[in-house]
Every structure is written in structure tokens, then in C-alpha cells.
């Protein structure tokens, strides 16, 4: 399938790759339909050592947000403390609350998160998203569905360096990484892409530098992913794709993958430890579980990704 992003633009590319109607006119799962029970069972068989890695950033006041986008870091409050009197029997309990922007940290972009030209995935009108939430394509449909075979493609290890500002990862580079890591990408896979950009947050504590730009996937990777029936893509940057995009378009890969292909995206994962382990054992596939909050009508969610070897 030809996908000349420079010539056709992202709208034409989206029409070529569209999954609208593939799973019926009322579908709200998109490419997550590709993670069948049989594929999940096969993925579970990948577990041998039982060693697990959490890929999420901590939820706290020291999170990545600067407040400039309107998103704030999570606010954790104690609602019952030692200052509250115990029961006459001496029993004491404590309670707390968390106030969180659903896309403030390690996160899931749901299918109602992005649209263009008045439509969301599967032809749902953008008017389905109101102040009450998403009447269609809510993130609750994906909350427990993101489990299956995970594959990590480690681009910095391939290149011998961390990727720089706005640096693009092309389809050819993804193919080279898969070939040199000796791993095949297949239908229903959860694909994790390491750029090394998360170190801006976890090591350098440079929030503004982190969000000012980012390396990531080029637009031509949409065809590469769609041709392999990948179910889900997640990365260690804040928006999966290289930003700013060529030509001045606003998040064109988001537009194609979420709105046209029906593929949810994962962002701001910490892939450093799992990448080091995978390289040490020479194995880049594992069982992956990316649990989201079952927020009815949510367009995104805090994500808790865990992978197990």
C-alpha cells in the first residue's frame, strides 16, 4: 500500500488506511478488536521468568506538567488523618483523594480524543463530545482491553544515541530495528517505541524542554503499522509522533491513527528499565497489560502499563 505522506497529505493517507466500518458501524474499540482471546492466551505463554516492569510515571506533584497546556500535575489530599478521632474501641482509619487530569502523566489517548473535519473514528460526529463527556467512543470501552503480546523497538540502542529534538523515526527505521532485534511485529500486538526522550523528565527534570518539542514517529509509519495490524502504539515521549510536524499540520499522525485507523495511543511511558533488561537477555517480546481507568465518557485516561517476561 503506497503512503507518500509528502505528496498526499495526512487526509488522503487516512482515507487509504481507514478502518471505518471494518468491525461494524457501531464499533467503539477500533484496532483493539485485533487483540483476540486467542492472541491474549498466546501472549500469556510468553511469561517465563515472571519478572515485571512498571512503565508508568509516578502520580504526584512532581509530575511532568507545567500547567501551560491547562493540565496540572495530580493533587493528592488526605481526607482523614490522625487528627480525626478514633472509634471508641480504638479503631483508626485514614482516607485520601486524588484530583488528576486524566492525561497529565503516563496516559491513554482514547478514540474520542482526536478528530478532524467534524468527525471522530468510524464517522462519529465531533458533537458526540460535550461537557458531559463522550457519548460515543468513551475510554471505558478500552479500560481492560489493552492486554496481549508486547514488543519493544529500541531506537536509541539501534542508533547508539538518544534521539534529538523533532527527530523523525521513519517506517524504514522501524523495519530496521525489528530486523536487527530479530523480532516480528504482528496482528494484535502492543508496540512500544523507545526514543529516550523521557529522560528529559526523569533525569534532567526539564519539563519545559520535554514539552517544547519531541522526537517520534514520522507520518509514513502509519502505513507500516496498519499493514501489520498493530493494535496499540505507545512511546516514551508526550505525543508519540515527532513534533512539530513537517508542513505545519497539527498532530497529523494522531489524526490518521486515532481518527482514521481507530488506534488508541499511549504516551509518556518510562521504557528505560525494560529496555535495559530486554537488551540484557536479547528478548524484545513480553506479556503486556496497559490498564486504564474506566471513566465513562472519558476521552483519555491515566494508564498503568506493566510488562512481564
Amino acid at each position: 500500500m503506497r503512503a507518500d505522506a509528502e505528496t498526499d497529505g495526512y487526509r488522503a493517507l487516512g482515507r487509504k488506511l481507514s478502518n471505518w466500518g471494518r468491525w461494524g458501524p457501531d464499533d467503539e474499540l477500533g484496532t483493539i478488536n485485533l487483540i483476540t482471546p486467542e492472541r491474549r492466551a498466546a501472549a500469556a505463554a510468553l511469561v517465563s521468568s515472571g519478572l515485571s516492569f512498571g512503565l508508568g510515571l509516578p502520580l504526584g506533584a512532581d509530575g511532568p506538567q507545567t500547567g501551560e497546556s491547562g493540565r496540572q500535575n495530580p493533587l493528592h489530599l488526605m481526607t482523614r488523618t490522625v487528627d480525626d478521632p478514633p472509634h471508641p474501641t480504638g479503631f483508626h482509619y485514614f482516607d485520601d483523594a486524588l484530583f488528576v487530569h486524566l492525561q497529565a502523566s503516563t496516559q491513554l489517548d482514547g478514540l474520542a480524543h482526536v478528530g478532524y473535519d467534524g468527525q471522530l473514528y468510524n464517522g462519529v460526529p465531533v458533537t458526540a463530545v460535550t461537557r458531559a463527556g463522550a457519548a460515543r467512543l468513551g475510554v471505558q470501552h478500552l479500560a481492560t482491553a489493552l492486554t496481549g503480546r508486547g514488543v519493544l523497538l529500541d531506537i536509541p540502542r539501534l542508533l547508539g544515541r538518544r534521539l534529538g529534538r523533532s527527530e523523525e523515526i521513519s517506517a524504514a527505521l522501524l523495519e530496521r530495528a525489528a530486523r536487527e532485534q530479530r523480532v516480528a511485529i504482528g496482528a494484535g500486538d502492543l508496540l512500544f517505541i523507545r526514543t529516550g526522550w523521557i529522560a528529559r523528565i526523569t533525569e534532567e527534570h526539564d519539563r519545559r524542554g520535554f514539552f517544547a518539542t519531541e522526537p517520534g514517529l514520522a507520518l509514513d509509519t502509519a502505513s507500516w503499522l496498519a499493514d501489520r495490524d498493530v493494535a496499540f502504539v505507545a512511546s516514551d515521549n508526550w505525543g508519540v509522533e515527532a513534533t512539530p510536524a513537517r508542513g505545519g499540520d497539527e498532530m497529523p499522525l494522531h489524526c490518521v491513527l486515532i481518527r482514521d485507523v481507530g488506534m488508541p495511543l499511549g504516551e509518556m511511558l518510562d521504557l528505560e528499565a525494560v529496555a535495559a533488561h530486554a537488551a540484557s537477555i536479547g528478548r524484545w517480546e513480553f506479556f503486556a497489560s496497559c490498564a486504564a481507568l474506566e471513566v465513562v465518557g472519558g476521552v483519555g485516561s491515566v494508564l498503568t502499563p506493566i510488562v512481564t517476561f
Side-chain angles (χ1 to χ4, degrees), residues 124-139:
V124 173
V126 295
T127 52
V129 182
T130 69
R131 291 192 179 277
R136 297 283 309 281
L137 306 175
V139 77

Side-chain angles (χ1 to χ4, degrees), residues 6-307:
E6 295 297 315
T7 302
D8 294 340
Y10 76 84
R11 285 177 171 82
L13 179 60
R15 288 192 294 272
K16 292 175 185 177
L17 303 181
S18 175
N19 277 325
W20 291 15
R22 179 177 177 180
W23 296 287
D26 299 321
D27 176 54
E28 299 189 68
L29 291 178
T31 53
I32 303 307
N33 284 288
L34 296 164
I35 311 176
T36 62
E38 294 78 15
R39 286 174 177 150
R40 284 196 181 96
L46 293 172
V47 177
S48 55
S49 69
L51 186 61
S52 290
F53 293 86
L55 312 181
L57 296 174
L59 289 176
D62 293 330
Q65 296 300 323
T66 65
E68 295 173 2
S69 69
R71 297 173 182 170
Q72 303 289 339
N73 288 313
L75 178 62
H76 179 217
L77 298 175
M78 296 303 299
T79 59
R80 187 174 177 88
T81 70
V82 71
D83 295 328
D84 295 289
H87 189 272
T89 64
F91 172 74
H92 233 320
Y93 73 95
F94 306 97
D95 266 349
D96 49 3
L98 182 67
F99 296 87
V100 59
H101 287 253
L102 292 176
Q103 290 165 290
S105 189
T106 303
Q107 64 181 271
L108 171 69
D109 281 357
L111 298 183
H113 178 54
V114 166
Y116 65 87
D117 296 342
Q119 291 180 302
L120 305 169
Y121 168 68
N122 224 18
V124 173
V126 295
T127 52
V129 182
T130 69
R131 291 192 179 277
R136 297 283 309 281
L137 306 175
V139 77
Q140 73 271 17
H141 301 294
L142 307 176
T144 60
L146 295 168
T147 58
R149 178 181 183 250
V151 178
L152 172 66
L153 293 183
D154 191 342
I155 306 304
R157 192 169 301 276
L158 177 70
L159 300 179
R161 59 176 176 82
R162 194 173 83 188
L163 275 69
R165 296 176 176 86
S166 302
E167 186 172 355
E168 290 189 333
I169 299 170
S170 66
L173 191 54
L174 290 182
E175 184 65 25
R176 178 186 161 194
R179 182 175 62 252
E180 296 197 17
Q181 292 178 199
R182 299 181 181 179
V183 64
I185 313 299
D189 282 351
L190 287 72
L191 182 60
F192 300 84
I193 310 291
R194 178 175 175 247
T195 69
W197 196 245
I198 198 68
R200 287 267 178 166
I201 292 293
T202 58
E203 297 177 14
E204 299 170 14
H205 308 290
D206 181 9
R207 295 172 175 173
R208 284 184 170 80
F210 179 73
F211 283 112
T213 179
E214 65 176 348
L217 297 181
L219 186 56
D220 75 344
T221 61
S223 291
W224 191 89
L225 296 167
D227 288 347
R228 287 156 182 76
D229 265 343
V230 170
F232 174 70
V233 173
S235 189
D236 59 355
N237 54 14
W238 56 262
V240 175
E241 61 190 288
T243 305
R246 296 185 186 185
D249 289 322
E250 186 68 17
M251 308 300 284
L253 188 63
H254 269 62
C255 290
V256 173
L257 290 182
I258 296 178
R259 189 261 206 188
D260 299 315
V261 178
M263 182 183 297
L265 303 177
E267 298 164 343
M268 290 194 280
L269 283 70
D270 187 348
L271 300 175
E272 296 304 291
V274 69
H277 179 71
S280 73
I281 64 172
R283 178 180 161 197
W284 304 94
E285 62 175 351
F286 37 75
F287 181 77
S289 173
C290 297
L293 298 178
E294 203 160 342
V295 180
V296 176
V299 301
S301 172
V302 172
L303 196 65
T304 307
I306 299 173
V307 302

